[in-house]
Amino acid sequence: MNAWIVLGVAIVCEICATSSLKYSAISGNKLFIALFALFMSVSFALLYQAIKSIDLSIAYAVWSGVGLVLVGVVGFVVFREEVSAIKVLCMALIVIGVVGLKLLSKA
């Protein structure tokens, strides 16, 4: 399977893991802690697979940066967290940094 697709699925699992953690904090339901552990384990396993073909610096920047931005969007949309111009600007800077790393890499 293409390493970038694997990395994308790892990011989706990271988002599900982090969202499960928030649901656990809101509800007190321990099932969400188990889901967090499951999704995060799968995410790390897929990240491991992706870094076999993608430079570690690029893969980790994409995994953490894109995951962070998308978790932020989930926070805004699902958990009704406050959206501000500075938060959006900071998230945009993260995306610019990740894209810059990818564009400047030799691979």
Side-chain angles (χ1 to χ4, degrees), residues 1-16 39 42-51 54 58-60 62-64 66-67 70:
M1 188 184 282
N2 185 310
W4 287 101
I5 293 170
V6 171
L7 186 59
V9 176
I11 292 167
V12 170
C13 289
E14 178 197 7
I15 294 162
C16 291
F39 281 122
V42 172
S43 182
F44 279 124
L46 292 171
L47 178 60
Y48 165 76
Q49 290 300 319
I51 63 173
I54 303 171
I58 301 301
Y60 189 75
V62 171
W63 181 81
S64 61
V66 173
L70 292 177

Side-chain angles (χ1 to χ4, degrees), residues 7-8 10-16 18-19 62-79 81 91 94-95:
L7 186 59
I11 292 167
V12 170
C13 289
E14 178 197 7
I15 294 162
C16 291
T18 307
S19 298
V62 171
W63 181 81
S64 61
V66 173
L68 185 146
V69 170
L70 292 177
V71 164
V73 171
V74 168
F76 298 152
V77 174
V78 175
F79 299 110
E81 294 176 354
M91 288 183 180
I94 292 167
V95 171

Side-chain angles (χ1 to χ4, degrees), residues 85-98:
I86 193 73
K87 284 182 181 180
V88 172
L89 174 63
C90 289
M91 288 183 180
L93 290 172
I94 292 167
V95 171
I96 290 168
V98 169

